[in-house]
Amino acid sequence: MTRWRHCAALTAISAVLLACTEVRDVDREPVATSGADDGSNGTGVPGMRFDVPGVPDIGSPPADLCHVVDDMDAVGHCEDRAPPDSFEPDVQWTWGQGQRSWVTPLVANLTDDNADGAVDLCDVPDIVLIAEEELAYGEVCRVHVLDGASGAEHYEIGPEAGVSCTATPALGDIDGDGVAEIVAIWNDAGVFRVVAFAPDGSELWRNTSDGDEDDQFARESGALALHDLDADGDVEVVFNHEVYDHTGALLWRHDNPDPGELEATTAADLDGDGLLEVITGHAAYRVDGSVYYEKYPTVSAKAIPQIGNLDTDPHPEVLLTTANGIWVLEHDGTVKYGPVTPTGVAPEGYLTWQRPATIHDFDGDLLSDFATSSATAYAVFQGPTQNQILWQVTVADLSGAAGSTAFDFLGDGIAEAMYADETAFRIYDGKTGAVQLEIRRGSPTISEYPVVADVDNDGSAEILVVSTSGEPALQVIRDQQDRWIQARRIWNQHAYYVTNVREDGTIPQHVAPSWRALNTFRTNAQIESGGICMPIPTG
């Protein structure tokens, strides 16, 4: 079996010195690694191969290999390709037999695995998982921080911290120390407020004064997001219709006129002024909290926003999955279309269509599509009508509102779709919807979804899937021979769109518009030579 790889050395000024070679894995025989047994091939950097047979010794990797050097404003074309027969998924490891997890797992570097005194990209990524033996609304759970390579637990944040079992945390550097912190929702005697923990699990701060005015049922299943909204170098914490500063002090809030569950507020520069708007299901707000647009009651407030370029103009659109179907708004809030229900599933309850959506090019035509579920159907859409459904499959998700993701595992320009309903996790061919993998998982589902990241730093992507009944709380899936191309080593929040966070967990002061190059949402990006890139269809 031949696997194409790039061996890279990165200079201190972010230039890339690239030596391309063919690396052979024949019957999984290991390449000589100078005695290293950590997967680093003697470099101390897991997944990076610097001693390829037949290639002159280029010496030890420079220090910058451990740090972010990519410029997300300049997304190049990916050159790495996996062999065409390399789609052989297998469970790499599991964690938490008898445990249950009901929220999306997150990935970032939090621990100093190589004991060099720094937490950086040379360490193995960590997985943040909220889990407990029993789950319910209103209950508290433990936060488990797991080693991405083995599943070994580094530490847990115990139930005394009061972290909600149903709200999705966010990971990111909020205090400027260069390492991601954990921001979560805690249960203060029935009021759900914001709390932050250091990378070692110790508490940084806890808001004890805000959130009483809001519907608590809506708050306890919401999702946090981290953004530098005003581009001043300090990170803001976004939660539902509220914005906090990096110390947990409330900056502003708005009432939700019709609260429900599963809010996953995001932020993007819709008007091109260099500042980010806070985008909820029915409204968008400027950095000072003033209204940018307000669409309620035309658009339901029970809605989840996604951002992408879904037409031929250069501006982003706001894709809304709402209680009564799919809406698309122009960047200024003008309704482009909606509500539509192209799968034919009637919006009998608000969670039938209010589900997290995914934006990606699923069929290799260089135009982004979007995917979402609707109780009994999961579909990839190219537009608002039934004849613009690329493909549609039957799923079982009447109990909740699970989401999906996508990733181009082979680097061929066609993304595989992934969805986990109440009974199974499945991978679908991006063009046809043909099932490529099905494994058992169980969940009544809230808004959790699978994520893709290189969690063990081996240069090949893995998939993370959570469960609440019978199966282990977390299953990590890889290619049997680790031939899938490398994904970024981070997934920091529910409303993840790649350019919202650097790979080291720092939050960009100036955010590269995700819709101009990658044009994805809730998917991860391929990386090569220290930077993100975009696969181009091969045929």
Side-chain angles (χ1 to χ4, degrees):
M1 187 63 63
T2 300
R3 179 183 181 183
W4 292 93
R5 270 274 175 223
H6 296 282
C7 298
L10 307 178
T11 70
I13 58 173
S14 304
V16 178
L17 305 177
L18 187 61
C20 302
T21 187
E22 181 181 355
V23 179
R24 295 185 179 271
D25 285 331
V26 180
D27 298 326
R28 293 187 58 82
E29 293 180 2
V31 177
T33 59
S34 305
D37 61 1
D38 59 357
S40 67
N41 301 301
T43 68
V45 186
M48 301 305 296
R49 181 170 296 175
F50 283 87
D51 54 351
V52 178
V55 176
D57 181 16
I58 62 174
S60 299
D64 273 16
L65 196 62
C66 299
H67 301 97
V68 170
V69 297
D70 55 320
D71 178 0
M72 290 191 289
D73 281 309
V75 177
H77 292 167
C78 301
E79 298 181 30
D80 204 5
R81 298 285 188 271
D85 60 347
S86 60
F87 202 84
E88 297 181 289
D90 190 26
V91 176
Q92 180 170 340
W93 56 263
T94 67
W95 182 92
Q97 191 67 49
Q99 297 283 319
R100 304 166 189 263
S101 183
W102 218 358
V103 299
T104 302
L106 303 176
V107 181
N109 283 106
L110 301 175
T111 57
D112 180 14
D113 302 295
N114 61 7
D116 66 352
V119 176
D120 52 36
L121 297 178
C122 287
D123 296 304
V124 176
D126 302 299
I127 298 169
V128 175
L129 182 73
I130 292 182
E132 194 56 81
E133 292 182 0
E134 297 295 333
L135 296 177
Y137 274 79
E139 299 299 321
V140 300
C141 279
R142 302 168 198 264
V143 181
H144 302 272
V145 176
L146 310 176
D147 178 84
S150 66
E153 185 168 272
H154 287 296
Y155 63 85
E156 72 170 36
I157 299 171
E160 66 279 0
V163 173
S164 168
C165 291
T166 53
T168 306
L171 311 180
D173 178 16
I174 62 172
D175 61 4
D177 65 353
V179 183
E181 283 76 41
I182 303 170
V183 185
I185 297 300
W186 72 289
N187 186 347
D188 183 8
V191 177
F192 291 85
R193 312 185 197 271
V194 184
V195 62
F197 303 96
D200 63 2
S202 59
E203 187 174 309
L204 284 178
W205 49 258
R206 182 179 295 259
N207 183 292
T208 60
S209 58
D210 299 298
D212 307 65
E213 308 95 331
D214 298 307
D215 182 272
Q216 297 305 312
F217 183 61
R219 294 172 65 80
E220 67 176 301
S221 60
L224 288 150
L226 303 177
H227 300 277
D228 186 351
L229 299 175
D230 52 3
D232 67 348
D234 286 332
V235 176
E236 281 76 45
V237 178
V238 177
F239 178 59
N240 291 8
H241 288 61
E242 305 158 10
V243 173
Y244 299 81
D245 72 11
H246 65 281
T247 69
L250 181 67
L251 297 176
W252 54 263
R253 62 174 293 277
H254 282 270
D255 290 324
N256 185 339
D258 186 23
E261 298 169 80
L262 316 179
E263 294 193 46
T265 301
T266 189
D269 182 7
L270 296 178
D271 59 5
D273 67 352
L275 307 177
L276 304 185
E277 280 70 49
V278 174
I279 304 157
T280 71
H282 65 93
Y285 307 102
R286 297 182 178 88
V287 295
D288 61 0
S290 60
V291 174
Y292 177 66
Y293 67 72
E294 167 67 68
K295 307 309 294 184
Y296 182 82
T298 301
V299 176
S300 173
K302 293 182 173 73
I304 298 175
Q306 293 78 204
I307 312 300
N309 191 350
L310 301 177
D311 58 21
T312 57
D313 68 32
H315 305 296
E317 280 73 50
V318 181
L319 167 67
L320 298 174
T321 48
T322 80
N324 59 357
I326 296 170
W327 295 75
V328 171
L329 309 182
E330 301 287 2
H331 68 284
D332 60 0
T334 302
V335 173
K336 185 177 180 68
Y337 63 78
V340 297
T341 55
T343 62
V345 178
E348 296 177 352
Y350 70 85
L351 292 183
T352 300
W353 280 92
Q354 186 203 322
R355 294 157 180 250
T358 303
I359 297 174
H360 207 294
D361 177 8
F362 287 92
D363 57 358
D365 65 356
L366 301 179
L367 300 173
S368 284
D369 316 295
F370 63 91
T372 191
S373 65
S374 49
T376 57
Y378 174 67
V380 173
F381 305 86
Q382 297 179 316
T385 63
Q386 192 171 42
N387 64 7
Q388 291 173 295
I389 294 178
L390 182 62
W391 50 262
Q392 178 177 330
V393 293
T394 299
V395 296
D397 191 15
L398 295 171
S399 62
S404 70
T405 190
F407 188 72
D408 183 359
F409 291 100
L410 304 183
D412 60 3
I414 299 172
E416 285 71 39
M418 286 155 277
Y419 183 73
D421 66 12
E422 296 170 11
T423 64
F425 163 72
R426 299 179 183 90
I427 301 177
Y428 302 94
D429 178 85
K431 272 190 172 181
T432 67
V435 176
Q436 297 181 301
L437 173 72
E438 178 173 326
I439 64 170
R440 172 74 189 178
R441 62 91 68 165
S443 175
T445 71
I446 305 184
S447 62
E448 78 271 23
Y449 61 93
V451 303
V452 175
D454 181 2
V455 299
D456 53 7
N457 214 357
D458 68 347
S460 180
E462 286 82 33
I463 310 165
L464 281 62
V465 182
V466 298
S467 294
T468 66
S469 56
E471 296 71 31
L474 178 66
Q475 299 179 72
V476 176
I477 301 165
R478 66 168 184 175
D479 174 67
Q480 290 181 6
Q481 299 182 51
D482 286 326
R483 296 163 299 177
W484 290 342
I485 59 174
Q486 186 172 22
R488 294 179 95 210
R489 292 159 286 186
I490 193 165
W491 193 296
N492 79 311
Q493 60 194 32
H494 197 291
Y496 172 80
Y497 54 82
V498 177
T499 61
N500 67 282
V501 64
R502 297 188 184 91
E503 206 177 3
D504 61 2
T506 57
I507 306 300
Q509 181 176 357
H510 304 284
V511 181
S514 62
W515 58 89
R516 288 187 182 166
L518 295 169
N519 200 17
T520 62
F521 200 95
R522 278 193 191 92
T523 78
N524 219 338
Q526 182 176 343
I527 58 172
E528 286 180 12
S529 308
I532 60 176
C533 62
M534 187 173 182
I536 298 299
T538 57

